[in-house]
Amino acid sequence: MNTLLAICVGVLYSAAIYLILRRSIVKLVIGLVLLSNASNLLIFTASGLTREAPPLIPEGESMPAIVADPLAQALILTAIVIGFGVLAFAVVLIRRAYEVVEADDMDQMKGTDT
Amino acid sequence: MVLWISGSFLAAAAAPWAVKRFPRHAGMILALWPGLLFVWFLSVLPRVGQSPVVTTHEWIPALGIRFSLYLDGLALLMSLLISGIGSLVILYAGRYLERHPDLGKLLALLLAFMASMLGLVLSGNLLLMFVFWELTSIVSYLLIGFHHEDEGARRSALQGLFVTFAGGLALMTGLILIGSVAGSYEWRTILDSADAIQASPHYPLALVLLVVGAMTKSAQFPFHFWLPNAMAAPTPVSAYLHSATMVKAGVFLLARTHPVLGGTALWTALLGTAGAVTLLLGIWLAMRSTGIKRVLAYSTIMALGTLTMLIGVGSDKAIIAAMAFLFAHSLYKGALFMIAGILDHQAGVKDLTRAGGLARRMPVSAAAAGLAALSLAGVLPLFGFVAKEKLFLSIFASGMAWLTPVVAIGAVLTVGVGALVGIQPWYGKPVATPRPAREPGPSLLAGPLILATGGILFGLFTPVVDQYLLTPAASAVTGHPVTPMLKLWHGLNLALATSIASLALGLLLYRWRTHFRHMTRFSDALAARGPEWLYDRMMALLVRVAGWQTRMLQSGYLRHYLLTTLLFVVACVWILLARSGQALHIAFDLTDIAIHEVMVMLVMSASAILAATSGSRLGAVAALGAVGFTVALVFVLFSAADPGITQVLVETLAVIMLVLVLFRLPRFLKLSSTRVRVQDATVAITLGATFTVLLLLAQDQRLYESISAWHIAESVPSGYGRNVVNVILVDFRALDTLGEIFVLALAAVGVLAMLGLKAEDKPQ
Amino acid sequence: MKPVPEHSLILRVTGLFILPLLILFSLFLLLRGHNEPGGGFIAGLVAASAVALHMFFTSVEAARRMIAVDPRDLIGWGLLIAIASGLAPILSGRPFMEARWIEMTVPAFGLVKAGTPLLFDLGVYLVVTGTVLAILFSLAEDDVQ
């Protein structure tokens, strides 16, 4: 299962990087979203996969049996929410940039004064 | 003592306010603080003569850096000069730049400088001293560039900053070397381990680095060129920083470290040579100059060279001569600079050749200038004479015969320079000045008068000054008690004869000054290829290299940066993998695979590829959503409930947001050629594959025990929560979460700000 | 987004009923988050989604009226509460952000444990809700112009 998921992560990264190398600024943003998904999945896979054992401790017990890694989950959880903030920021940024430069082409945004 | 230093910084902060509130009398009011300091330092004079006053506070205990202050005879001599002259200079500056819009800034900087300089001389910890050392450089930079609208002043300010900072770096390295040998940065510990330091193999390097630092600060050849240029600063600054105090910091450092580092052949050779060369060079250039401040600046370089040379010689006599010379020089040079300021302020005179016969119009200034110049020239019974006499005696007795002609020539030229500033503008044929000359008011006259009369008084009462001030200072420098030995009258001896001869020759030289300048034109050609030329060339080269490097690396295209970075990362990873020779085991354990999981992953991969290749915005966003939801499914399938729920919610909100924005955005265009697309796809796939391989390799390797086990075990007992993920977020790692919600808030602020900016900045 | 009064009546009315329910549900998620899946992040996102849905059914102005507070204020209050929960232990001489708990018996609930982490989670909840809503509202309003 790990192997399959690792390949999936590779596919996500490839798609994300292909997109952020494009000149179209909208594609850049879509690439960024894919990149954050890929990274979350990477951390998740690397922390080890466990089926049907969420890191919840049954009532009355203090020490559970084997559960999934909670630390990776906590990291991913905040990363997802931050990813949303970054996405919002990026989307608004490119929208403003588009209004000012009136071009979707990254190559026309290379000057420092535009 | 900590209070005195921090109080001085506070006084600096209050200066702009004081100027706004009392525009006419700010200088007088602010001068009270250094005056108070001066009185306090005077009051501890008898106590410090017995033993040093030490206070220690912890500052950065982990690095062994303490905020410790160490007040011994040497520090006290410097502190008295700093606070005393500081008080006079601030009084003077308040009138000198009255009604200047930036007077508040100037007074604030002067006070801040005083605080830093006091910190420097009082530090009992090498690293603390270094901090104050750099602070004085920074304040000096700001003060030289005070007239910041002037290109030349900015250039001079930067030059001073670069030279002293370069020296500062050398000094820091030297101090760290010393500290590591002694095992502490505390001055008292280092003082005890002098033998260990001199025996250490690091000693020569540490000494050279430290001396380079001192030489840049005290403008020794070949780093002297920044000091004359620093005269771009307003005259009170020149009087205070660039003659009486800051430039003495290098000399102070040498004196301070003398008991630890001094006395070796290397020490004497380094400092003796550097000092002697600087002495001759400085006085030579002073005699050749005509700008009043330049003459004074070059003669300051000469004085600093003399001090360095004397500390290099290092005998008891030489050290006490150095202390006397330092004291005398601060008095007369401070006075002369203030006189130069008066000439500029009252008559618009900046050049000696443009002035003459001013004594009739400004008798008091002329008298003060005359007294200071006599002390500079070393005429009986002024204190300058005592210092010069001792200088001669110690050099004659040093056994370094080659220094004798140096000091003799120096003395002749010094007398000439003294005549230049003490006679030329005041007597002889009146010369029309740019403004009609007028005697200045008491605020401007107080400084030069007090300092110049000090020259006479201290000369007449030499033994008193010697016993209470100079002998304790000299004892601190030599490291053992020195017996008081200064006298005004030593009787008829070789030193007196040299003095008289140099006086006569110097006056002759003054008489023939135009011929002298004409005959010595050849040195201009040398100066044109001197250290300053080298400095300019180095700066130009730096700019050229920076320009070339920027053009090389900064294409301005995002994808070029990305490509470079990504390829570099891939290369690093593969080289490391190849070198580690790790075998890659990829096991397809089919029994482990559930069919619904495989379906989820297939959908995920297909959606990702679709998102990357779709030609429409809507298609790409839809595919993106599909990727997001399948990722959420993976989380849920593998026991990550919280991230799964979060992912679903965020995905929903993201789609809403993209819908709101997307159709305001341009349609996809096909901008790249097929060749570029294939190339990018290759890079992307390589990188993706790299990640897959890395992930597979990382699977079974744990370098450190995960802390998750601790989190799980402690969740209920100390976190009172059964959802471990949440306990981590709000309890165990709450500080991280706090940072994250701040980032979120910042993103919201950014969005609001950008949407608030309307399209008025659109190019027409 | 255009103000669309011609939106389906059914959607608008159901929206009116669903919104309070969803907000209540988000509070439930927030409170149980320490023991079951949930917590400040998830609850905040649920609350924001609820208001966002309402915004789609009616209009930005209606949604703003409905929640009665400016989302920017929510961000501020959330950060303030989160920091305050971290500062609380300092008052009793403990390090910043160390958790402090008190136990008390509340009639009808039994033993209730309350502590600074719950307060912190409330701060997270407010920040997340405020951030998402501030972004969505301003985007939607920008659209109208």
Side-chain angles (χ1 to χ4, degrees):
Chain A
M1 202 61 230
N2 284 339
T3 317
L4 273 186
L5 212 47
I7 292 168
C8 261
V9 169
V11 172
L12 286 193
Y13 266 110
S14 303
I17 286 159
Y18 179 73
L19 278 169
I20 60 177
L21 287 174
R22 307 269 49 81
R23 271 161 70 179
S24 164
I25 194 167
V26 183
K27 289 186 180 171
L28 174 76
V29 171
I30 293 174
L32 281 178
V33 178
L34 268 182
L35 197 66
S36 76
N37 270 321
S39 305
N40 289 341
L41 209 55
L42 175 83
I43 298 172
F44 188 64
T45 314
S47 76
L49 300 173
T50 319
R51 285 198 185 86
E52 287 163 14
L56 300 169
I57 297 162
E59 198 148 8
E61 289 175 41
S62 63
M63 195 62 201
I66 291 169
V67 293
D69 189 342
L71 188 60
Q73 294 193 13
L75 289 177
I76 292 166
L77 199 155
T78 48
I80 294 168
V81 182
I82 298 259
F84 175 79
V86 171
L87 173 66
F89 190 84
V91 160
V92 174
L93 183 68
I94 61 164
R95 179 168 152 175
R96 294 283 306 150
Y98 176 60
E99 280 171 20
V100 174
V101 186
E102 291 179 330
D104 179 29
D105 188 350
M106 292 288 293
D107 286 11
Q108 295 186 22
M109 298 188 184
K110 72 188 277 269
T112 45
D113 358 289
T114 47
Chain B
M1 280 191 282
V2 179
L3 277 180
W4 293 121
I5 295 175
S6 41
S8 304
F9 278 116
L10 281 181
W17 173 82
V19 169
K20 205 176 275 173
R21 186 78 184 71
F22 311 100
R24 297 235 347 126
H25 304 293
M28 276 178 227
I29 295 165
L30 289 167
L32 289 176
W33 172 257
L36 189 68
L37 278 173
F38 181 74
V39 172
W40 184 80
F41 282 120
L42 269 186
S43 74
V44 294
L45 200 56
R47 191 147 55 104
V48 172
Q50 312 300 320
S51 68
V53 180
V54 180
T55 55
T56 300
H57 301 271
E58 284 298 331
W59 184 23
I60 312 174
L63 294 176
I65 301 176
R66 290 202 194 126
F67 199 101
S68 51
L69 300 179
Y70 185 86
L71 179 60
D72 61 355
L74 177 64
L76 190 62
L77 172 64
M78 292 297 292
S79 304
L80 281 170
L81 289 174
I82 293 162
S83 54
I85 297 181
S87 173
L88 297 174
V89 160
I90 284 165
L91 175 69
Y92 179 92
R95 185 67 69 231
Y96 186 76
L97 285 180
E98 193 181 354
R99 282 190 270 274
H100 189 285
D102 285 337
L103 174 63
K105 194 175 96 180
L106 181 84
L107 294 179
L109 286 173
L110 280 174
L111 281 164
F113 167 77
M114 186 186 78
S116 322
M117 191 69 202
L118 279 176
L120 166 58
V121 298
L122 291 175
S123 295
N125 183 298
L126 291 188
L127 293 182
L128 182 68
M129 190 192 76
F130 176 74
V131 170
F132 283 116
W133 177 282
E134 296 291 68
L135 264 180
T136 58
S137 294
I138 293 168
V139 181
S140 161
Y141 161 74
L142 292 170
L143 283 169
I144 300 173
F146 181 72
H147 297 300
H148 53 82
E149 59 289 337
D150 172 23
E151 162 105 48
R154 291 202 302 271
R155 182 182 171 278
S156 303
L158 263 184
Q159 193 183 51
L161 187 75
F162 282 149
V163 173
T164 46
F165 266 17
L169 280 179
L171 170 67
M172 184 180 72
T173 323
L175 292 179
I176 290 173
L177 275 176
I178 295 172
S180 66
V181 173
S184 165
Y185 292 109
E186 281 296 297
W187 175 243
R188 278 171 299 165
T189 321
I190 290 167
L191 208 49
D192 291 335
S193 40
D195 294 335
I197 290 171
Q198 294 205 358
S200 148
H202 295 306
Y203 169 75
L205 183 60
L207 177 64
V208 168
L209 287 169
L210 189 126
V211 167
V212 166
M215 282 171 70
T216 55
K217 195 83 164 180
S218 283
Q220 301 291 297
F221 178 84
F223 308 113
H224 63 280
F225 55 89
W226 72 266
L227 186 57
N229 293 334
M231 296 301 132
T235 308
V237 174
S238 311
Y240 194 30
L241 273 72
H242 303 124
S243 79
T245 57
M246 187 187 88
V247 288
K248 301 253 166 63
V251 174
F252 167 79
L253 176 77
L254 296 173
R256 173 56 89 214
T257 47
H258 177 257
V260 176
L261 301 175
T264 59
L266 182 61
W267 170 277
T268 310
L270 265 180
L271 298 186
T273 320
V277 171
T278 309
L279 187 168
L280 282 181
L281 182 89
I283 203 66
W284 179 269
L285 290 170
M287 194 64 216
R288 285 193 39 75
S289 304
T290 57
I292 304 174
K293 288 182 78 178
R294 277 194 105 73
V295 171
L296 293 175
Y298 280 125
S299 95
T300 304
I301 292 179
M302 171 268 181
L304 295 166
T306 311
L307 289 170
T308 309
M309 180 183 77
L310 284 172
I311 294 171
V313 170
S315 62
D316 283 9
K317 271 186 190 167
I319 296 297
I320 201 146
M323 293 300 112
F325 198 88
L326 188 152
F327 185 59
H329 175 258
S330 294
L331 295 182
Y332 66 67
K333 199 51 71 63
L336 285 174
F337 264 111
M338 290 194 223
I339 295 285
I342 288 176
L343 281 174
D344 187 7
H345 193 257
Q346 300 296 116
V349 175
K350 290 180 161 62
D351 196 291
L352 287 167
T353 53
R354 300 286 167 79
L358 285 173
R360 261 162 293 170
R361 290 176 170 276
M362 307 160 81
V364 187
S365 308
L371 275 179
L374 284 177
S375 194
L376 166 73
V379 177
L380 202 77
L382 286 102
F383 195 72
F385 171 77
V386 180
K388 192 166 82 169
E389 202 80 339
K390 203 72 206 165
L391 160 71
F392 286 154
L393 286 174
S394 64
I395 293 297
F396 296 159
S398 71
M400 291 195 278
W402 64 279
L403 287 179
T404 308
V406 170
V407 290
I409 297 171
V412 173
L413 284 159
T414 307
V415 172
V417 168
L420 278 184
V421 291
I423 300 177
Q424 193 177 1
W426 311 103
Y427 306 102
K429 211 162 42 158
V431 176
T433 49
R435 279 201 297 275
R438 217 156 42 80
E439 189 77 276
S443 294
L444 288 183
L445 277 177
L449 267 182
I450 292 176
L451 293 176
T453 15
I456 272 210
L457 282 180
F458 295 131
L460 293 175
F461 296 100
T462 300
V464 182
V465 184
D466 186 28
Q467 191 188 344
Y468 286 102
L469 193 61
L470 299 180
T471 306
S475 307
V477 179
T478 53
H480 55 82
V482 176
T483 45
M485 56 173 98
L486 284 183
K487 278 179 289 191
L488 183 59
W489 182 249
H490 280 271
L492 297 167
N493 56 13
L494 184 59
L496 187 66
T498 320
S499 255
I500 292 168
S502 64
L503 199 61
L505 286 172
L507 287 174
L508 276 180
L509 184 66
Y510 168 70
R511 177 81 183 74
W512 300 104
R513 59 186 181 273
T514 31
H515 291 88
F516 171 78
R517 289 195 187 115
H518 191 70
M519 273 159 54
T520 52
R521 270 170 311 164
F522 65 90
S523 66
D524 285 351
L526 266 138
R529 284 279 184 275
E532 184 166 16
W533 174 79
L534 209 65
Y535 167 86
D536 287 338
R537 292 297 300 268
M538 269 166 61
M539 283 298 160
L541 188 70
L542 189 69
V543 170
R544 277 228 304 283
V545 170
W548 169 81
Q549 176 210 312
T550 308
R551 275 193 302 279
M552 280 289 294
L553 298 178
Q554 309 284 340
S555 65
Y557 296 108
L558 177 67
R559 56 179 192 286
H560 287 180
Y561 299 133
L562 283 172
L563 265 181
T564 319
T565 319
L566 293 175
L567 287 176
F568 184 73
V569 168
V570 170
C572 284
V573 168
W574 284 106
I575 289 172
L576 274 177
L577 283 182
R579 283 168 53 125
S580 72
Q582 202 159 35
L584 182 59
H585 304 289
I586 301 184
F588 279 95
D589 187 359
L590 287 173
T591 57
D592 187 31
I593 295 173
I595 185 73
H596 58 282
E597 292 167 359
V598 177
M599 294 304 291
V600 168
M601 284 173 213
L602 278 178
V603 173
M604 188 197 297
S605 304
S607 313
I609 293 165
L610 187 65
T613 52
S614 167
S616 83
R617 295 168 297 176
L618 195 60
V621 171
L624 194 64
V627 171
F629 283 113
T630 45
V631 169
L633 263 177
V634 170
F635 288 153
V636 173
L637 283 174
F638 293 100
S639 320
D642 291 84
I645 300 170
T646 315
Q647 174 85 6
V648 170
L649 289 165
V650 161
E651 218 46 63
T652 315
L653 286 166
V655 169
I656 292 177
M657 185 173 65
L658 286 174
V659 167
L660 280 174
V661 176
L662 196 71
F663 294 98
R664 287 294 201 86
L665 291 176
R667 288 176 188 288
F668 280 4
L669 294 173
K670 198 172 167 182
L671 291 165
S672 317
S673 65
T674 313
R675 196 185 64 78
V676 176
R677 285 165 171 268
V678 170
Q679 174 205 315
D680 289 349
T682 320
V683 173
I685 290 169
T686 319
L687 207 85
T690 312
F691 271 105
T692 303
V693 170
L694 274 181
L695 193 48
L696 289 173
L697 281 175
Q699 244 2 249
D700 313 313
Q701 302 204 350
R702 273 215 187 277
L703 290 177
Y704 304 101
E705 196 53 45
S706 165
I707 54 169
S708 299
W710 183 87
H711 285 143
I712 296 166
E714 289 295 315
S715 179
V716 170
S718 53
Y720 298 103
R722 289 183 285 110
N723 180 358
V724 188
V725 175
N726 188 260
V727 173
I728 292 176
L729 283 176
V730 301
D731 192 342
F732 295 153
R733 311 286 310 168
L735 197 60
D736 296 354
T737 313
L738 186 67
E740 274 143 8
I741 58 178
F742 264 95
V743 173
L744 266 187
L746 274 179
V749 170
V751 168
L752 292 174
M754 277 193 286
L755 289 176
L757 289 168
K758 281 300 142 201
E760 71 247 19
D761 48 341
K762 194 185 278 193
Q764 300 303 309
Chain C
M1 202 177 69
K2 292 185 290 291
V4 264
E6 68 270 25
H7 258 327
S8 139
L9 180 69
I10 299 174
L11 275 182
R12 260 186 294 157
V13 175
T14 20
L16 274 180
F17 283 112
I18 286 175
L19 178 69
L21 280 178
L22 279 175
I23 300 279
L24 268 182
F25 179 58
S26 79
L27 287 173
F28 166 71
L29 281 173
L30 171 69
L31 289 177
R32 74 162 205 164
H34 217 52
N35 293 319
E36 304 289 336
F41 281 105
I42 292 174
L45 289 170
V46 168
S49 318
V51 180
L53 277 179
H54 190 71
M55 181 181 87
F56 267 86
F57 294 152
T58 57
S59 67
V60 187
E61 297 82 51
R64 273 196 191 277
R65 270 200 308 280
M66 179 65 84
I67 57 165
V69 270
D70 192 319
R72 286 175 295 183
D73 292 350
L74 287 181
I75 302 178
W77 281 110
L79 289 178
L80 215 61
I81 291 174
I83 292 174
S85 82
L87 289 176
I90 290 186
L91 295 181
S92 48
R94 309 294 307 169
F96 180 60
M97 297 237 87
E98 196 184 82
R100 310 296 292 165
W101 291 89
I102 44 167
E103 295 184 8
M104 53 191 171
T105 316
V106 180
F109 278 93
L111 192 66
V112 171
K113 292 197 191 92
T116 52
L118 296 185
L119 206 58
F120 184 79
D121 221 9
L122 177 66
V124 172
Y125 170 77
L126 292 178
V127 172
V128 171
T129 313
T131 302
V132 175
L133 286 182
I135 291 170
L136 288 183
F137 281 174
S138 52
L139 276 176
E141 272 160 2
D142 200 48
D143 225 35
V144 175
Q145 287 162 5

